[in-house]
Amino acid sequence: MAVTEQTPRRCLLVDDDDAMRMLVRLHLEGVDADVVTAASVPAGCELVDAEDPSFAMVVADHRMPGTADGVDLLRHARDRDPATRLVLLSSHFAPETVAAAEALGATVVDKADADRVARLWAAADDGGGPTGPGP
């Protein structure tokens, strides 16, 4: 399916914390993002694989249950489409985590700053979702 004005690209939000997922989703919807959510890395990876065109932005919590984490999900999304904007949410900023996320081109955002995630989406020039570095 080709991207057209009738097919806006969407944002994937993955967080195992229901309340945080709802909070970030509401902030994104407040700037007109079409948000798809998942509660685990495997579910997020399935959505990444199924989305056509690919998600404009993938937002993932760093720490989630299971063997994979948010960085793994962002890597999967980047492998599928290098143009996807990546955001890692975390309240624990270990240097190795930040380095791994930034090596993928991700923006690392404090988990409590849902407004910044919305600003990253809204910073897009074309109205179809973010397409490069942003605030």
Side-chain angles (χ1 to χ4, degrees), residues 55-133:
F55 288 102
M57 185 162 88
V58 174
V59 181
D61 180 27
H62 173 240
R63 293 186 178 180
M64 287 186 273
T67 57
D69 65 18
V71 174
D72 296 318
L73 174 62
L74 296 182
R75 185 175 298 110
H76 184 80
R78 175 55 39 100
D79 289 347
R80 174 116 192 299
D81 183 353
T84 300
R85 162 78 57 82
L86 305 174
V87 179
L88 183 70
L89 300 176
S90 184
S91 54
H92 308 281
F93 291 99
E96 61 275 5
T97 301
V98 172
E102 289 178 345
L104 294 171
T107 301
V108 180
V109 175
D110 188 302
K111 193 167 182 172
D113 195 357
D115 189 56
R116 180 156 183 232
V117 177
R119 288 193 314 269
L120 288 168
W121 179 271
D125 295 337
D126 64 359
T131 57

Side-chain angles (χ1 to χ4, degrees), residues 1 3 7-12 47-58 77 80-85 121 128:
M1 172 188 325
V3 176
T7 352
R9 293 178 69 196
R10 303 186 306 166
C11 178
L12 174 62
L47 288 166
V48 165
D49 291 341
E51 187 75 358
D52 184 23
S54 58
F55 288 102
M57 185 162 88
V58 174
R80 174 116 192 299
D81 183 353
T84 300
R85 162 78 57 82
W121 179 271

